[in-house]
Amino acid sequence: MDHSKMDHSKMDHSKMKDPKSNDHSKMNHSKMDHSKMDHGDHDAIPMGMAGHDHHKMMIADFKKRFWVTVALTIPILIFSPMIQGFFGYEFLLPGNPYILFALSTIVYFYGGWPFLKGFVSEIKNGAPGMMTLISMAISVAYFYSSATVFGLQGVDFFWELATLIAIMLIGHWIEMKSVLGASKALQLLVSMMPAEAHRVKGDTIEDISLEDLLKDDVILVKPGEKVPADGIIIEGSSYLNESMLTGESKPVKKDEKDKVIGGSVNGNGSIKVKVEHTGKDSYLNKVITMVEEAQKTKSKMQNLSDRAAKWLTYIALGIGFGTLAVWLLLGFPFVYALERMVTVMVIACPHALGLAIPLVVAISTSVSAQNGLLIRNRTAFEESRKISVLLFDKTGTLTKGDFGVTRIESVNDSYSNEEILRLSSALEQSSEHPIAVGIIKKVREDKIDIPKLENFNAITGKGVEANVEGKQVKVVSPGYLRDEKIEIPKDAFSDAAETVVFVLIDGQLAGYIALADEIRPESAEAIKIFKKNNIKVIMATGDNEITAKAVSDKLGLDGYYAEVLPHQKVELVKELQGKGEFVAMTGDGVNDAPALAQANVGIAVGSGTDVAAETADIILVNSNPQDIANLILFGKATYNKMIQNLIWATGYNIVAIPLAAGVLYSSGFVLGPAVGAVLMSLSTIIVAINAQLLKRKIGKK
């Protein structure tokens, strides 16, 4: 899912993949990449709803194997001579060793099957990992104990085999539930689309499945229903809840000609929508694909954990066999030396280490998508904690990107402010000029009826004029007033960032309307957060010096560059990097693409479905500067979670492996395989819980 501003006309679909077609290969537990899963005899199923069901199926399978293993482990414990010796009772049945052998054989092959199959898969891939360690531990325990039943001198530890498999199964079960929880945000996105759409055909409405919906179809969306596809409203108006798509909690007012996103929830009005994008071309589907791709993309931190897990596997195998040899050379019984080796192999499984990073990746990517942050480059996201300078494009990020009426002032007692706005709107209703659009927007907000006009005429470079309700009305620039020697009111220009137009009625100045590309109310708060985190904020804009300075002064920026052309932004980024700054560039993703590519972190800003830069690392759906603050803080929190998990997982092994090998034997402390398995599972659960706590770290709007 490579896009940043979601301008579908500019989308490179050759780089898109249908989530239904993603090939998720099987799980290598030494690396624990949870986008690729094989927990035994399950075929790989793609992500999306199928992957969700597959995960549930695997959890159910581990749960069943666990309970069967527990049911068999109880009699194994009861009939085990070693356990009877611990608790001081004797309860031996005729053929007791053979009963233990039979029960343990079922436990080994049924309960241990996922690990044995995983071992075969790891060996085939040339990447021995956790499954290899577990399989060797349980296989050595099973075959050695079986040999003692049929004549080999020694003591069996079927009970340790059974408890080890039971604990490993419950560890996997809990871990997989954590992974499923991490992907729930993605599954929520998948489940957002309705099953059916109401297609309008002439005077009739037919219910069709989503697969049958075509581009340019007209659909009816009733109050409270989910929008079935991306499109444009051609009839009606309503408030739509887009919170699951953009993170914006407040319902958004949508009128005719406004775009709607498939998956958003309609409010209390019926709307007819002309379909623009369906299926794999839809915004929601592209977000899902992007999240999946980002979760599969390896970052530097993830590659580090993969290498650590791989080396830990080799070290564990080496220490395991070394432990066996050392204890035998020291003259200890083979069964004791074997128990030490089994314990080392069990406790050294790089399970927690393998889970440490991928689980954080899965959670952070999914939660980010729910909050309007679409991550394309994992490494850039993790490195957002290093940002020292934020280079902002002004329009559409710090400001709203469209002209809004800021003041209406009457200078003639015959006309109220509303009357000046009403009469001037007659002249502006058919113009596409940003000022005209701003005036018409204000009229619609105030629900003012626009009067009809006659004899419309454009005054070249100065404004427009027409007859409205028997009056001659002109909407003109300050230059027209100067030319006509009309005095400009003293208070007309109160803000250097404003553009002012003057309204003349029957040749007399009646009043003026001031407009500005309004500063977003969130900008000031976001800049406070940046400064609190020692990040300098600099603005680079194509606007004139007066407007740029006004915005910079109002927001308290650390600096600004005015009248900057797109290619000059690249030079600015290079200049800042040359001073040793770690630069994040924000832009609209089209003309800012070179600067986004040059920056250490490229952040493309968009609005709803309007997104496009191939070069951006992170995409903000809402163009809201507070989202960038959230992004940086969440990036820091994500990195911290990864470090915490890596420290816990490696630290646990550094302490546990020597204990398992028996370094404290002289002190009377011996760590058994079953206790080792408990500790290993516990470390995995701690890592999983710590990763889940990341969900609390992102700023909710």
Side-chain angles (χ1 to χ4, degrees):
M1 167 102 168
D2 293 342
H3 56 129
S4 62
K5 233 189 175 254
M6 217 67 131
D7 176 350
H8 294 288
S9 66
K10 296 183 175 71
M11 196 67 62
D12 181 358
H13 290 284
S14 67
K15 297 190 180 181
M16 303 289 177
K17 287 198 286 186
D18 184 344
K20 292 176 184 173
S21 69
N22 286 344
D23 177 21
H24 294 264
S25 55
K26 294 192 172 184
M27 179 183 245
N28 176 350
H29 273 82
S30 68
K31 296 184 179 180
M32 285 301 281
D33 181 350
H34 284 275
S35 64
K36 304 169 184 173
M37 304 214 67
D38 174 12
H39 280 283
D41 48 351
H42 303 287
D43 293 323
I45 294 179
M47 287 288 284
M49 291 310 289
H52 188 70
D53 292 339
H54 180 50
H55 243 104
K56 283 185 174 178
M57 186 175 74
M58 287 194 294
I59 290 169
D61 181 69
F62 270 89
K63 184 179 178 182
K64 185 172 72 173
R65 289 179 191 274
F66 167 71
W67 286 117
V68 169
T69 299
V70 166
L72 295 171
T73 299
I74 292 168
I76 289 171
L77 289 170
I78 292 170
F79 298 140
S80 176
M82 196 178 291
I83 295 296
Q84 291 181 22
F86 288 159
F87 290 99
Y89 73 94
E90 189 172 313
F91 184 51
L92 298 174
L93 296 176
N96 200 78
Y98 299 104
I99 292 169
L100 286 173
F101 168 71
L103 293 173
S104 298
T105 298
I106 298 169
V107 168
Y108 174 71
F109 285 105
Y110 180 74
W113 181 250
F115 311 115
L116 297 171
K117 188 160 186 198
F119 161 68
V120 172
S121 178
E122 286 181 354
I123 297 303
K124 275 184 184 175
N125 293 329
M130 191 190 71
M131 292 305 200
T132 302
L133 289 172
I134 296 174
S135 296
M136 290 193 71
I138 63 175
S139 295
V140 168
Y142 172 72
F143 289 110
Y144 173 77
S145 298
S146 299
T148 64
V149 173
F150 296 99
L152 183 72
Q153 287 297 312
V155 180
D156 75 77
F157 43 108
F158 283 128
W159 72 273
E160 288 180 301
L161 165 74
T163 52
L164 171 56
I165 289 174
I167 291 164
M168 293 307 301
L169 284 169
I170 196 169
H172 268 64
W173 175 17
I174 292 169
E175 168 216 322
M176 287 166 65
K177 284 183 80 172
S178 293
V179 173
L180 183 66
S183 64
K184 272 183 181 171
L186 184 58
Q187 305 310 330
L188 273 171
L189 288 173
V190 176
S191 65
M192 282 176 66
M193 296 302 281
E196 290 186 330
H198 312 303
R199 183 162 63 187
V200 180
K201 285 276 189 182
D203 294 331
T204 62
I205 295 171
E206 56 182 1
D207 288 345
I208 59 167
S209 67
L210 224 53
E211 291 76 26
D212 297 329
L213 199 58
L214 302 172
K215 187 178 183 296
D216 295 330
D217 277 350
V218 175
I219 51 175
L220 174 70
V221 186
K222 298 174 184 176
E225 289 185 338
K226 291 176 181 175
V227 177
D230 297 354
I232 295 175
I233 297 175
I234 58 170
E235 187 181 310
S237 67
S238 186
Y239 283 88
L240 276 84
N241 186 336
E242 298 177 341
S243 59
M244 269 299 291
L245 298 152
T246 65
E248 180 56 64
S249 57
K250 193 168 69 175
V252 182
K253 179 75 158 57
K254 301 277 185 175
D255 296 305
E256 282 184 31
K257 296 184 181 177
D258 285 339
K259 289 185 178 182
V260 293
I261 307 172
S264 54
V265 181
N266 189 19
N268 56 4
S270 287
I271 52 173
K272 283 185 182 175
V273 175
K274 186 178 180 182
V275 175
E276 279 195 318
H277 304 288
T278 62
K280 66 179 193 293
D281 292 328
S282 72
Y283 170 77
L284 180 60
N285 218 54
K286 288 177 194 280
V287 171
I288 291 164
T289 309
M290 174 181 277
V291 174
E292 288 180 347
E293 292 299 320
Q295 285 182 354
K296 288 191 291 180
T297 302
K298 300 277 186 182
S299 66
K300 287 179 184 175
M301 285 293 293
Q302 199 162 343
N303 286 326
L304 173 66
S305 75
D306 286 349
R307 288 197 301 276
K310 184 178 178 181
W311 280 107
L312 186 62
T313 299
Y314 293 132
I315 290 166
L317 287 169
I319 293 176
F321 285 109
T323 299
L324 177 71
V326 168
W327 285 108
L328 288 174
L329 288 171
L330 290 173
F332 282 79
F334 179 74
V335 67
Y336 183 82
L338 183 66
E339 185 179 283
R340 294 296 93 227
M341 183 184 83
V342 170
T343 308
V344 166
M345 287 184 170
V346 169
I347 209 163
C349 293
H351 206 182
L353 183 60
L355 189 63
I357 303 301
L359 192 55
V360 174
V361 167
I363 292 168
S364 68
T365 312
S366 299
V367 173
S368 296
Q370 279 186 292
N371 285 269
L373 309 175
L374 306 182
I375 298 165
R376 289 184 60 227
N377 183 331
R378 292 287 329 164
T379 298
F381 171 61
E382 288 160 20
E383 291 191 335
S384 61
R385 71 189 188 283
K386 298 180 186 175
I387 293 169
S388 61
V389 171
L390 258 173
L391 190 62
F392 272 102
D393 181 37
K394 176 184 76 72
T395 308
T397 310
L398 294 174
T399 63
K400 290 183 176 179
D402 57 353
F403 275 88
V405 173
T406 51
R407 292 179 298 136
I408 304 165
E409 296 289 345
S410 170
V411 295
N412 187 322
D413 292 339
S414 302
Y415 303 101
S416 66
N417 290 356
E418 185 178 309
E419 185 68 2
I420 286 167
L421 180 65
R422 189 180 76 86
L423 292 171
S424 63
S425 70
L427 282 69
E428 307 288 9
Q429 60 186 316
S430 56
S431 173
E432 292 298 319
H433 191 281
I435 290 172
V437 171
I439 289 172
I440 296 302
K441 183 181 170 189
K442 175 66 174 171
V443 167
R444 284 182 176 155
E445 281 175 3
D446 292 353
K447 296 179 179 172
I448 296 170
D449 292 329
I450 300 173
K452 291 180 181 177
L453 57 77
E454 294 173 339
N455 303 325
F456 177 85
N457 178 48
I459 308 167
T460 307
K462 301 287 176 64
V464 289
E465 62 182 350
N467 291 330
V468 182
E469 297 177 346
K471 301 179 181 73
Q472 188 198 41
V473 181
K474 293 180 182 177
V475 179
V476 294
S477 67
Y480 180 88
L481 266 64
R482 291 190 195 103
D483 291 347
E484 296 297 320
K485 305 290 190 291
I486 299 171
E487 188 180 346
I488 296 173
K490 289 180 183 177
D491 297 333
F493 301 102
S494 65
D495 190 323
E498 286 183 323
T499 297
V500 181
V501 293
F502 296 87
V503 182
L504 278 68
I505 300 174
D506 292 332
Q508 298 296 311
L509 180 62
Y512 55 86
I513 301 171
L515 303 98
D517 181 6
E518 294 177 78
I519 293 173
R520 286 177 174 272
E522 309 94 347
S523 295
E525 190 59 39
I527 285 159
K528 282 181 190 172
I529 295 170
F530 299 138
K531 291 195 170 183
K532 191 177 175 184
N533 284 271
N534 300 314
I535 297 169
K536 293 191 278 278
V537 184
I538 296 172
M539 181 177 71
T541 178
D543 274 351
N544 62 66
E545 173 75 20
I546 295 171
T547 302
K549 187 177 187 307
V551 172
S552 178
D553 291 348
K554 201 163 189 176
L555 290 173
L557 304 183
D558 294 292
Y560 68 90
Y561 296 89
E563 297 175 31
V564 178
L565 298 173
H567 71 271
Q568 293 174 318
K569 290 180 183 177
V570 182
E571 301 308 318
L572 281 176
V573 173
K574 286 180 180 175
E575 186 185 318
L576 289 164
Q577 288 171 330
K579 294 175 181 175
E581 304 285 6
F582 197 89
V583 182
M585 168 72 195
T586 68
D588 64 14
V590 182
N591 57 9
D592 294 322
L596 289 170
Q598 177 64 37
N600 300 95
V601 180
I603 304 168
V605 293
S607 176
T609 56
D610 181 30
V611 194
E614 293 288 319
T615 48
D617 301 309
I618 297 150
I619 299 146
L620 302 185
V621 177
N622 276 328
S623 311
N624 185 340
Q626 273 202 304
D627 283 349
I628 300 173
N630 284 340
L631 161 75
I632 293 167
L633 297 177
F634 192 51
K636 283 184 178 180
T638 299
Y639 180 79
N640 289 340
K641 282 292 173 203
M642 289 178 174
I643 294 297
Q644 288 166 17
N645 277 1
L646 281 176
I647 289 171
W648 171 260
T650 51
Y652 152 80
N653 279 290
I654 288 166
V655 172
I657 289 175
L659 292 178
V663 294
L664 294 181
Y665 176 80
S666 58
S667 305
F669 181 82
V670 177
L671 195 65
V675 177
V678 169
L679 290 176
M680 199 227 70
S681 293
L682 188 62
S683 75
T684 303
I685 292 163
I686 289 169
V687 165
I689 291 169
N690 190 41
Q692 292 288 346
L693 293 175
L694 184 64
K695 289 178 181 177
R696 300 180 183 180
K697 296 288 183 180
I698 192 161
K700 296 281 182 182
K701 288 183 280 298

